[in-house]
Structures are given as structure tokens and as C-alpha cells.
Amino acid sequence: MNGLISSAASLRFASYNILHGKCADEAMSGIAKNIIENEIDIVGIQEIDRGTLRSVGRDILRVLSVPTGYKHYVFFKTISFDGGDYGIGVLSRYPIIADAELMLDSEGGENRALGYAQIDVNGKAVSFFVTHLSFDSPTARKKQMAQISKTLKNYNDFVLAGDFNTSDFSIYEDISGYATLNKKESPAVTFPDGELSIDNIVYSADAWSFG
């Protein structure tokens, strides 16, 4: 999903779960075309392979950067998988000048993480986050969101893109001063197979507005 969020800078953000590229061709041209046509500036991506046998040893973020022309990206590993790594990442039109990863409480299930990228947009520092919460455990998701909310309190201008694996919009309520692009009152279906609204972009309402 994507949308235009504006502040001192006017930017377009997106969140994509790419299923490790399973539904795309090897050049990722379909996903790249979507990014270009929608004029996305900064993308949070979930389910990325890096060096796995499944993806023929490719670094999927690097592969995606070629057709988009976006040279700036950062990968956050969550697990080792199939001879390589698997996780989440950020792809950006603008330079990424700092990054960090916070491992989330996954209750013994598949590791989940919060990735952070500080992005220099023409001299303005943008605090962008990406995550992919647990699929099969509501209690794990609650703990993960508590960790994320605690982290976001340190930022007055955050944007968080993610696959939150739930259509329960109350999951965002612990985030201070938040607004969401996908809204409870008019939810956009982001997982068509289940008619679910599990993906969202959350942002600090005082710093950003949707328009």
C-alpha cells in the first residue's frame, strides 16, 4: 500500500510484502514498475531473501534496486534460511545515512525485528521504520508492538511501514500521537486472499499529514 504524506518535505511512502519475490520475475521488474509508476520515494519491504538457495543466491534488495534506480537500501536479517538470510528492509530514492535493528520478542517463534533507517531527504532527516509482526500469536504481536511503541517515543517525526499480520486496528493504540494511512473507518484490503487489512503505514500526526 502507498500514500502521500507531507511535512516540510513531500514524500510518498509504501509498504510491500513481496513473498521473497515468489510472485515476481527474476528481475523484479513487476515490483519495480509498481514503485516507479506510483512515484514511491521510500519503501518498507517484508519477506526478503538474501543469498538463499530458494532465490538462487541473489540479494533481492540489490536486484530490486537496479530496475528502480534506487541505489540506497538496507537489509535487516531476522532468520537464517535455506543457505542464506531472510528478513525485512528499506529501499530509498534518497541516501540512508544511519540504520539500526531491534530484535522483537517472538515468544520462541520465528524471529521478528524492527528496522530503522535515517534518510537524508535534501538535508531533512527522515526517521523511517519497517517491521513484520508474528503471524500466529496475538500475544507475541502485542509484546512486539509494545517494544515498537517504546522505541517510537524517542522520535517526533517517525514513519513506520509494516505487515502487522492483524486486521485489529487497536494494535496501534499504544503508539503516542499516531495516525494511520489504512484506517479502521474505511479499511483497505491489503491481503486479497483473506480480504484482510493487515498492512499499514503509521506516522506521527504532529509531524506528517496525509494529502
Side-chain angles (χ1 to χ4, degrees):
M1 65 176 306
N2 65 76
L4 182 65
I5 302 176
S6 60
S7 180
S10 182
L11 297 170
R12 193 177 289 265
F13 300 94
S15 183
Y16 290 78
N17 184 321
I18 64 170
L19 295 171
H20 64 268
K22 178 181 179 181
C23 300
D25 58 37
E26 288 192 2
M28 299 288 148
S29 59
I31 297 172
K33 181 180 179 182
N34 188 275
I35 290 172
I36 293 167
E37 288 182 346
N38 285 284
E39 300 179 340
I40 308 301
D41 295 297
I42 302 170
V43 189
I45 306 176
Q46 304 88 38
E47 299 200 17
I48 304 169
D49 279 2
R50 184 178 67 177
T52 67
L53 294 174
R54 174 174 66 183
S55 293
V56 201
R58 295 176 300 158
D59 180 339
I60 295 301
L61 264 182
R62 182 186 293 273
V63 170
L64 191 55
S65 76
V66 175
T68 58
Y70 291 12
K71 299 178 182 179
H72 313 288
Y73 55 89
V74 58
F75 174 80
F76 304 102
K77 177 181 176 179
T78 54
I79 62 171
S80 298
F81 178 79
D82 202 17
D85 302 322
Y86 177 75
I88 57 179
V90 177
L91 179 68
S92 174
R93 184 193 302 272
Y94 298 97
I96 297 172
I97 56 178
D99 63 82
E101 181 177 22
L102 172 67
M103 300 308 297
L104 302 176
D105 186 345
S106 300
E107 293 191 330
E110 181 183 314
N111 289 343
R112 304 289 174 156
L114 175 69
Y116 164 70
Q118 185 181 52
I119 300 171
D120 181 358
V121 180
N122 300 324
K124 175 183 172 61
V126 172
S127 299
F128 185 81
F129 296 85
V130 60
T131 196
H132 186 190
L133 300 189
S134 291
F135 167 72
D136 55 356
S137 174
T139 58
R141 285 197 296 272
K142 186 174 181 179
K143 289 179 181 179
Q144 290 160 4
M145 281 303 296
Q147 287 178 271
I148 291 171
S149 300
K150 184 177 180 181
T151 298
L152 294 181
K153 286 180 180 179
N154 297 315
Y155 298 85
N156 296 319
D157 61 347
F158 67 83
V159 177
L160 166 66
D163 179 344
F164 296 92
N165 264 320
T166 180
S167 291
D168 181 0
F169 283 78
S170 68
I171 196 170
Y172 311 115
E173 291 177 354
D174 287 340
I175 300 176
S176 299
Y178 81 97
T180 61
L181 186 60
N182 198 353
K183 298 184 181 301
K184 180 179 180 180
E185 298 77 17
S186 54
V189 172
T190 62
F191 185 68
D193 287 351
E195 293 293 306
L196 300 173
S197 302
I198 61 176
D199 303 272
N200 217 329
I201 294 175
V202 187
Y203 56 95
S204 47
D206 288 343
W208 299 93
S209 60
F210 175 68

